[in-house]
Amino acid sequence: EVQLVQSGAEVKKPGESLKISCKGSGYSFTSYWIGWVRQMPGKGLEWMGIIYPGDSDTRYSPSFQGQVTISADKSISTAYLQWSSLKASDTAMYYCARQDYYDSSGYSLWWGQGTLVTVSS
Amino acid sequence: SSELTQDPAVSVALGQTVRITCQGDSLRSYYASWYQQKPGQAPVLVIYGKNNRPSGIPDRFSGSSSGNTASLTITGAQAEDEADYYCNSRDSSGNPWVFGGGTKLTVL
C-alpha cells in the first residue's frame, strides 16, 4: 500500500530555519512527482512546488519561488520542504502529496497526514 | 488565467442533488480533480479525469466538464458529505498549481 508519512509538528521562532520531511513507501519513489501543499489556518489549499526524485527536477509555484526549498533523498525515499528564515506568516499545515496523471491531467490520490508548523515569538 | 473560481458556499437538503462548479481557462485543456476535506483531516481525492472515482468513493459522486467549467455532482447527498470541496488543475506549463478557492458544502 502506498503511504506518505510526514514528520511531526514543529514550533519555531521567527528567523529560525526548518526542514520537514515526507517519507514514501509502497511504490517506486523515484518514478512519481511529489509535492507540497500549504493550508493556512482557515484557508484553502495551495500547491507550493513539486519534485521528481528520479532526477531531482524541481518546480516551484510562482507564489513560493525563492521562499522555500524542496529536495529529495531517493536513497531513503524522502522528500523535504525547508525554510532558511521562518516568518509568522509561514504558520500553516503542510501536506505532501504524490502527483499522478490521467490523460495528461494531474491528480493526487496519496497524501501525507500533514505537518503543522507554528511560528511564533 | 491561472485561477479556478468556485462558489464559497453551497447548501443541499439531505438526500437531494447538488452541483459544485469550478471555472477557469485551464479547464479547456485539462480535467479537474476534486478533493473533499473535512475539518482536521487531509484532503481526499473524490473525482479525477473525465469522471473517475478512486476505490472507496461512493458512486453518488460524479464529475463532468464543459468548456471552461468543471462540475462535481453529489446525487443523494448524505450528512457525511458535509465538507469543503476543492478543484485543482494544471497551468499552461503543466504544473499543478491551480486550485480553486474551495466550496463549503452544508447538508441541511
Side-chain angles (χ1 to χ4, degrees):
Chain A
E1 180 192 3
V2 175
Q3 284 193 312
L4 297 173
V5 179
Q6 298 184 226
S7 50
E10 301 274 1
V11 179
K12 291 290 192 179
K13 290 181 167 44
E16 292 186 332
S17 62
L18 176 64
K19 193 174 189 178
I20 62 175
S21 66
C22 169
K23 183 173 176 60
S25 62
Y27 72 100
S28 174
F29 185 74
T30 55
S31 299
Y32 292 85
W33 291 87
I34 189 165
W36 291 93
V37 175
R38 183 177 79 173
Q39 188 167 39
M40 299 176 74
K43 301 299 184 183
L45 305 173
E46 303 172 272
W47 271 103
M48 302 174 71
I50 52 175
I51 187 167
Y52 190 76
D55 61 7
S56 295
D57 184 4
T58 308
R59 304 175 189 183
Y60 294 92
S61 164
S63 301
F64 293 93
Q65 179 79 48
Q67 307 304 308
V68 296
T69 300
I70 293 171
S71 61
D73 184 342
K74 58 186 179 183
S75 70
I76 55 172
S77 300
T78 301
Y80 301 97
L81 175 66
Q82 68 180 90
W83 295 260
S84 59
S85 180
L86 287 161
K87 302 184 283 287
S89 57
D90 293 317
T91 294
M93 180 71 81
Y94 294 88
Y95 296 100
C96 62
R98 194 182 88 172
Q99 185 76 352
D100 288 74
Y101 293 95
Y102 173 89
D103 193 17
S104 80
S105 296
Y107 64 94
S108 293
L109 176 59
W110 304 106
W111 292 72
Q113 81 276 21
T115 295
L116 180 63
V117 173
T118 303
V119 183
S120 174
S121 55
Chain B
S1 169
S2 60
E3 296 181 350
L4 295 177
T5 301
Q6 296 182 244
D7 291 329
V10 171
S11 62
V12 61
L14 184 68
Q16 296 304 299
T17 297
V18 62
R19 176 176 291 182
I20 298 171
T21 61
C22 173
Q23 287 188 301
D25 288 343
S26 65
L27 299 178
R28 297 184 184 278
S29 304
Y30 299 108
Y31 292 114
S33 51
W34 290 92
Y35 303 87
Q36 176 193 70
Q37 189 180 35
K38 297 180 180 179
Q41 297 183 18
V44 172
L45 178 71
V46 295
I47 290 289
Y48 68 97
K50 191 172 184 180
N51 180 20
N52 298 285
R53 282 177 291 105
S55 175
I57 300 302
D59 61 5
R60 63 178 179 271
F61 289 88
S62 63
S64 62
S65 184
S66 178
N68 72 336
T69 301
S71 300
L72 172 69
T73 300
I74 307 173
T75 304
Q78 302 299 302
E80 60 264 33
D81 299 334
E82 187 162 288
D84 294 326
Y85 290 85
Y86 296 91
C87 59
N88 179 224
S89 182
R90 303 174 78 178
D91 68 6
S92 56
S93 298
N95 297 307
W97 315 142
V98 190
F99 259 121
T103 297
K104 183 176 182 61
L105 176 66
T106 300
V107 180
L108 304 172

